Amino acid sequence: MKKFILTTLVSISTLFAFAQVPGAPTGAKMPDMNRGHIYGKVVDDQGKPVEFASVVLLKTTIDPATKKPKDILVKAQQAELNGDFNFKEIPINVKLKIKISFVGFTNYEAPVAFAMPPMGGMKPGQAPDPEMMAKMMAAFEKDLGNIKLATDSKELDAVVVTGTKALVEMDIDKKSFNVGQNIVTSGGTAIDVMRNIPSVQVDIDGNVKVRNANPILFIDGRPTTLSMDQIPADIIEKVEVITNPSAKYDASGSMAGIINIVLKKNKKNGYNGMVNAGVNRRGGTNLMGNFSYQQNKWNLTATIMNMMERNVSNGYSDRQANIGGIQSSIYQNLDNSTKGFMLFPRFSADYAVTNRSTITLGAFFGGGGQFRPNETLDITSTVNGVKSFSNRYTESLREFKPQGFQFGFKHTFPKAGEELTMDMNFFGGTNKGESVITTNYLNNNAITGTQIQKNIGDGKNKFITIQTDYVKPIKNEGTIEMGLRAQINELANTNINTLKPVGSDVYKEITSASINYSSTNDVYAAYVSVSGKTTAFSYKLGLRGESSNYSGELINTKQQFSNKYPLSLFPSIFLKKDLSKTDQLQLSITRRVNRPNFFQIIPFVDYSDSLNITRGNANLVPEFTTSGELSYSKTKGSATFLFSGYYKYTDNLITRYYSKEINPISGKMDLINTFINANSSINYGAELTYTNKFQNWWDFTANVNVYNSKINTSNIESSGAVADGMWTAFGKINNNFILPNKWVIQLSGDYQGKTNMPVSQNQGQMGPPGMQAQSSSQGYVEPYYGIDLAIKKSFLKNDMASLTLAFNDITKTRGNTRVSLGDGFTQTSYRISNPQQVRLTLSVRFGKFDMSQMKRNNNSGADMQQMQ
């Protein structure tokens, strides 16, 4: 097998050093690679800036006449008032030196070198990846630090700039997956991206899980209120999976860690962009445009996406119950279709105040979405052997208008690795919805009565985060990190339910099904972590402290409730051992918390859906999780092997639970879907990820996760005996086939074995429309699998355009069958969403880089004075 990773990186790096590709067709010239970036600051002995110092950059060549070296001016500038100098777009394939002079100071001179890896492994006709090539070019930059002008000048060590990027990267506390070239996801959303990330599971409703629990979503390292179906796939650069977060991150979100989505950002002078347009077999469309412009100190990015959704789902639910001596069954047959649109505009700007200080401003506003789900339920009810039939038709409208603003400041110090960052983020928005539920009672297909229920509601939320972090390098390749964070979340909602019973023409408000509430949730945190390296291993030790306050009010009844959680400490330990240059061993131990949210804690019984009655539990307490993970990674040739064994123990697990209570509307015993603190839960298992390039035309990635999960509800009187833990397996395979004439085929599939209900899924929701929500402590999901296929053809000059045809769930097998068991009831439900979806996407890239400044320098260089 070929040593793909080394070969590719070396081959791409070599392209920067040569004007013609080795092994390429004769005459295939490379474009001018003036992509170096060097900057620094001129100071005196006291560290004060030297204003207007002369800074010149020279290249050394051999004079053809004298055969001796001579220096030719490449660029020159005067230092700014603060001493800063900045050279962009300098040649990286020649010998360079920098000279600095000013009256009263001794001249300064030092070599500047862009070191290249040794060439080898590139076969004739082999072409580099254009996107990775651009990323490599962007890596050639270096901060020369504060350069002191003194009586005895000291020569600065040669600057060595290197850069590599692999498809899978492993850090001490996270795994990164580069997804910029995943063609199956073209024209989709982040949910489609997650389906192709090892370790990540996605169900038919788009709920994302990592090791059978919901992770927290970050964008560019910051938490967000956006959902994954609101993020275009084509603007995602890479995905970081942090299964066991360190003390630097929020302690909340105990079970599954963090998924951080890193968005693409332009790093070249000039402008470039991309336009995607697509359509699917059900009439849904997507249009996405991304534009970036960078010049001098500004880097501007604008993204806009518009999606017209056309989704369908169908399924059934069968519930058998014996409550209060009454034997009953309810069978529901579901058909659902949803039409809607979503508009997502995003703008950001980076401004380099100095070479080391950057301000970032970002915003998204003016967007939003509207969805119109229409649903039909055919219902057969049997009570003590007597059957009845009904038909329920629901017309709904849901709208949301999100908005967000971001301010960031980053300052890097002359000492490499030392930096200070400050961030303030605001995410919020409004939402509203209404639904009309018409229930027809039937006798021999004739309507004997009609009941109509109307539900009108609206809400708003605010999510404010203020954070500052400081990193300082220390000896032994270590760092000290510390930071402060405040998070404030405000939520409000109004909801009015009215009912026109059979035989009545008057709508009456159902007080027990109408809810108005507001809540505030504050979290305050501080952390410190220390990392370093000994002769035996690398380490990262951290401690985080958090306290939080929660308050809420039911506006209708003026009932108030609150919780104050005292300061809790969350330690984290990460150890890494390099067994060899290709083998690594890692160990991590952390403690985290999951606090109950508003929907879980609100003491209100919602009877708005007679088939799905829910209630919060004001007595819920936070759950605390202790996690341990041992990982081993090995690289051999083009293959990368990752193995992880993990264990998680959670006290007071928050989970859904069915209980039997009196329904105040009907006066009869009924099932209520509520929340409880289970005694504990245990999850442990082993995960394997393998990537390889078996042939020059075949990339392969596989992921297998075998785990056991157990929820202990022995503290609940009606729960009965504690169930045994359930072993299950999750697997995912992805193949990329590179064919002649610029054709690419991607074939992928996933399999989920029989498993417990996800313990954190839909915790604040009412479950699938028209279907009873499920309990994670009382049920399981039957096995299912799915297969996806995509075909891509690139064309036009420099592959500027591509056409992708994607097939999702080809075998129509990603439907979920869920079984719930409890005291006096059993329920089986099945749903499948958008099976055998077909999507066609056209993508066009464009760009123009600002070469005028470079041309001016090159043209004038021949006429400038040559310096020996």
Side-chain angles (χ1 to χ4, degrees):
M1 291 183 292
K2 303 293 184 182
K3 297 184 177 181
F4 168 62
I5 297 176
L6 178 61
T7 301
T8 302
L9 296 181
V10 169
S11 300
I12 293 174
S13 299
T14 306
L15 291 172
F16 298 133
F18 294 89
Q20 182 168 319
V21 181
T26 303
K29 295 290 184 178
M30 289 296 297
D32 196 346
M33 294 298 178
N34 288 23
R35 289 298 174 214
H37 180 199
I38 295 173
Y39 57 94
K41 188 172 187 174
V42 184
V43 297
D44 59 18
D45 287 332
Q46 284 73 43
K48 296 181 180 181
V50 178
E51 303 175 4
F52 308 117
S54 175
V55 186
V56 297
L57 193 65
L58 308 168
K59 66 177 179 181
T60 302
T61 62
I62 301 298
D63 190 325
T66 64
K67 307 299 182 183
K68 294 182 179 180
K70 66 177 180 180
D71 292 334
I72 299 177
L73 179 66
V74 176
K75 287 191 177 184
Q77 64 179 232
Q78 288 184 327
E80 299 181 11
L81 294 176
N82 61 358
D84 281 354
F85 63 89
N86 191 348
F87 291 117
K88 289 185 177 181
E89 297 180 346
I90 62 175
I92 61 177
N93 57 346
V94 297
K95 186 176 181 180
L96 299 172
K97 68 173 64 174
I98 189 171
K99 286 188 176 182
I100 304 175
S101 61
F102 194 66
V103 176
F105 294 92
T106 303
N107 291 343
Y108 173 89
E109 181 177 329
V112 176
F114 292 95
M116 306 296 167
M119 189 183 77
M122 177 175 279
K123 304 187 76 173
Q126 181 178 351
D129 187 301
E131 186 170 341
M132 182 170 287
M133 183 171 163
K135 295 177 184 177
M136 290 286 291
M137 288 190 291
F140 286 93
E141 61 178 69
K142 184 69 175 180
D143 184 353
L144 299 183
N146 286 353
I147 299 177
K148 292 183 179 181
L149 300 185
T151 303
D152 296 321
S153 64
K154 296 182 179 179
E155 187 174 288
L156 185 69
D157 290 337
V159 178
V160 178
V161 183
T162 60
T164 61
K165 180 73 72 173
L167 295 177
V168 180
E169 300 172 355
M170 189 170 179
D171 204 347
I172 194 170
D173 58 354
K174 64 185 176 186
K175 300 180 185 73
S176 299
F177 302 92
N178 298 298
V179 299
Q181 299 186 50
N182 191 314
I183 64 172
V184 167
T185 64
S186 179
T189 67
I191 292 176
D192 300 295
V193 174
M194 296 304 149
R195 294 188 190 277
N196 290 278
I197 299 296
S199 305
V200 178
Q201 303 154 268
V202 182
D203 68 16
I204 62 170
D205 294 310
N207 298 302
V208 175
K209 299 177 292 176
V210 174
R211 295 174 182 172
N212 212 35
N214 294 119
I216 297 175
L217 176 62
F218 278 27
I219 294 180
D220 287 336
R222 303 174 178 91
T224 178
T225 58
L226 290 176
S227 59
M228 289 195 183
D229 60 358
Q230 297 173 326
I231 304 171
D234 299 291
I235 67 172
I236 299 176
E237 176 76 17
K238 67 178 178 179
V239 175
E240 296 176 345
V241 180
I242 308 171
T243 55
N244 211 11
S246 67
K248 178 179 180 178
Y249 300 98
D250 287 346
S252 59
S254 59
M255 292 300 294
I258 295 169
I259 287 181
N260 181 38
I261 293 177
V262 180
L263 303 182
K264 295 177 181 178
K265 183 173 289 188
N266 180 37
K267 296 182 179 180
K268 304 176 185 177
N269 271 2
Y271 68 84
N272 67 74
M274 177 175 61
V275 175
N276 280 4
V279 62
N280 64 47
R281 65 181 288 240
R282 296 186 174 89
T285 61
N286 65 279
L287 179 64
M288 192 278 290
N290 180 267
F291 179 83
S292 297
Y293 176 79
Q294 177 169 307
Q295 190 66 38
N296 299 325
K297 297 186 176 184
W298 287 96
N299 188 353
L300 307 176
T301 301
T303 300
I304 187 167
M305 180 192 71
N306 178 263
M307 296 184 69
M308 306 294 292
E309 294 195 0
R310 301 293 185 266
N311 299 322
V312 298
S313 64
N314 57 75
Y316 68 86
S317 174
D318 187 5
R319 186 173 75 184
Q320 307 290 327
N322 189 336
I323 303 175
I326 300 176
Q327 185 72 35
S328 65
S329 68
I330 299 177
Y331 181 88
Q332 306 170 56
N333 191 69
L334 167 74
D335 281 297
N336 180 285
S337 64
T338 300
K339 295 182 179 181
F341 74 88
M342 181 173 62
L343 179 66
F344 178 90
R346 180 178 183 269
F347 309 92
S348 65
D350 296 331
Y351 177 71
V353 181
T354 68
N355 286 339
R356 300 194 185 100
S357 298
T358 302
I359 293 176
T360 298
L361 298 174
F364 65 90
F365 54 87
Q370 182 184 95
F371 301 93
R372 293 182 177 273
N374 293 323
E375 176 183 282
T376 300
L377 275 177
D378 294 320
I379 306 168
T380 302
S381 301
T382 304
V383 179
N384 289 335
V386 180
K387 283 189 176 182
S388 62
F389 303 92
S390 60
N391 173 277
R392 192 169 84 171
Y393 181 70
T394 304
E395 292 181 289
S396 300
L397 170 65
R398 300 196 301 269
E399 296 180 339
F400 68 93
K401 292 184 178 181
Q403 58 182 354
F405 303 95
Q406 172 196 342
F407 171 81
F409 174 78
K410 180 178 180 179
H411 179 75
T412 59
F413 295 85
K415 188 174 183 179
E418 184 178 5
E419 65 180 37
L420 173 69
T421 59
M422 291 181 283
D423 293 282
M424 182 178 71
N425 296 275
F426 167 82
F427 293 98
T430 60
N431 63 82
K432 63 180 181 179
E434 59 183 65
S435 62
V436 178
I437 305 171
T438 302
T439 304
N440 295 315
Y441 299 95
L442 308 175
N443 185 6
N444 293 326
N445 293 324
I447 299 176
T448 60
T450 299
Q451 173 183 284
I452 301 177
Q453 181 178 345
K454 291 184 178 180
N455 186 321
I456 300 176
D458 60 68
K460 59 182 179 179
N461 65 81
K462 296 179 181 179
F463 191 94
I464 301 173
T465 304
I466 302 173
Q467 180 170 339
T468 181
D469 299 275
Y470 174 71
V471 182
K472 181 177 180 60
I474 56 177
K475 62 181 181 179
N476 297 326
E477 301 180 20
T479 61
I480 295 178
E481 298 181 62
M482 58 188 70
L484 301 171
R485 190 172 192 270
Q487 175 184 303
I488 302 171
N489 188 13
E490 297 180 358
L491 184 70
N493 189 78
T494 60
N495 190 24
I496 299 175
N497 264 277
T498 59
L499 181 69
K500 186 173 74 171
V502 175
S504 174
D505 294 327
V506 179
Y507 285 95
K508 294 183 179 181
E509 183 175 349
I510 310 174
T511 306
S512 59
S514 300
I515 178 173
N516 299 295
Y517 59 81
S518 63
S519 70
T520 301
N521 188 14
D522 303 336
V523 180
Y524 304 96
Y527 78 93
V528 60
S529 68
V530 179
S531 64
K533 189 174 184 179
T534 68
T535 55
F537 57 85
S538 302
Y539 62 88
K540 186 174 184 178
L541 310 176
L543 182 65
R544 186 180 186 90
E546 287 191 359
S547 67
S548 61
N549 304 312
Y550 173 85
S551 63
E553 179 183 15
L554 296 178
I555 300 175
N556 288 354
T557 62
K558 302 301 181 183
Q559 181 182 0
Q560 296 183 348
F561 46 96
S562 63
N563 281 299
K564 292 186 176 180
Y565 304 120
L567 178 68
S568 297
L569 298 179
F570 303 94
S572 64
I573 301 173
F574 293 82
L575 302 176
K576 176 182 174 183
K577 172 70 174 179
D578 291 328
L579 303 177
S580 69
K581 291 183 178 181
T582 60
D583 297 67
Q584 294 180 348
L585 191 65
Q586 297 181 3
L587 173 67
S588 63
I589 301 174
T590 65
R591 182 175 188 255
R592 298 178 64 74
V593 65
N594 184 34
R595 304 176 184 90
N597 63 38
F598 180 83
F599 293 100
Q600 296 168 335
I601 207 170
I602 186 172
F604 176 82
V605 182
D606 183 1
Y607 299 97
S608 57
D609 184 351
S610 61
L611 301 176
N612 185 10
I613 303 172
T614 62
R615 185 199 64 199
N617 181 359
N619 296 317
L620 289 177
V621 298
E623 62 182 32
F624 289 87
T625 298
T626 300
S627 304
E629 184 168 340
L630 181 65
S631 299
Y632 169 74
S633 66
K634 180 178 180 62
T635 301
K636 184 177 181 180
S638 62
T640 300
F641 173 89
L642 303 175
F643 174 83
S644 297
Y646 58 91
Y647 178 90
K648 294 184 178 182
Y649 178 84
T650 301
D651 277 321
N652 297 314
L653 175 78
I654 299 173
T655 182
R656 285 188 180 273
Y657 194 82
Y658 286 114
S659 65
K660 293 186 290 186
E661 300 180 14
I662 296 294
N663 185 329
I665 293 180
S666 65
K668 299 178 181 179
M669 187 71 71
D670 215 332
L671 287 175
I672 308 294
N673 193 353
T674 185
F675 300 92
I676 63 168
N677 282 114
N679 187 54
S680 63
S681 74
I682 296 175
N683 290 266
Y684 57 91
E687 183 179 36
L688 184 151
T689 301
Y690 176 77
T691 66
N692 201 352
K693 189 176 184 69
F694 291 123
Q695 301 291 335
N696 289 334
W697 48 269
W698 181 16
D699 290 324
F700 176 81
T701 301
N703 174 259
V704 177
N705 184 14
V706 180
Y707 57 94
N708 183 284
S709 55
K710 176 180 179 180
I711 300 176
N712 183 347
T713 57
S714 61
N715 56 318
I716 307 300
E717 293 182 1
S718 60
S719 66
V722 178
D724 294 333
M726 180 179 294
W727 280 101
T728 189
F730 170 77
K732 182 180 292 187
I733 293 177
N734 188 66
N735 297 272
N736 288 305
F737 304 101
I738 303 173
L739 305 180
N741 299 319
K742 301 180 180 179
W743 286 91
V744 179
I745 295 178
Q746 184 171 328
L747 178 64
S748 59
D750 54 40
Y751 170 81
Q752 173 64 67
K754 181 179 178 181
T755 181
N756 301 88
M757 298 292 184
V759 296
S760 301
Q761 182 177 326
N762 282 335
Q763 292 291 339
Q765 307 300 321
M766 299 301 123
M771 310 290 281
Q772 188 83 3
Q774 304 295 298
S775 168
S776 60
S777 60
Q778 297 166 293
Y780 57 88
V781 181
E782 295 282 6
Y784 64 91
Y785 69 93
I787 298 174
D788 302 320
L789 172 70
I791 304 171
K792 178 182 177 180
K793 167 66 174 177
S794 299
F795 54 96
L796 297 185
K797 185 178 180 180
N798 297 322
D799 297 338
M800 291 182 62
S802 64
L803 195 64
T804 302
L805 182 64
F807 304 85
N808 297 102
D809 194 12
I810 295 174
T811 53
K812 200 177 180 179
T813 50
R814 276 206 180 101
N816 279 181
T817 300
R818 304 185 180 191
V819 179
S820 294
L821 305 167
D823 183 21
F825 79 94
T826 62
Q827 176 170 300
T828 301
S829 63
Y830 169 85
R831 287 185 70 243
I832 189 168
S833 180
N834 291 324
Q836 298 178 324
Q837 181 69 285
V838 181
R839 189 166 53 224
L840 181 66
T841 303
L842 173 66
S843 177
V844 179
R845 296 180 293 109
F846 60 90
K848 181 179 181 181
F849 306 116
D850 184 5
M851 307 296 287
S852 58
Q853 183 64 42
M854 180 190 71
K855 291 178 180 178
R856 285 195 298 269
N857 289 332
N858 288 345
N859 292 338
S860 61
D863 301 326
M864 296 288 285
Q865 179 183 3
Q866 298 180 359
M867 293 175 285
Q868 299 295 331

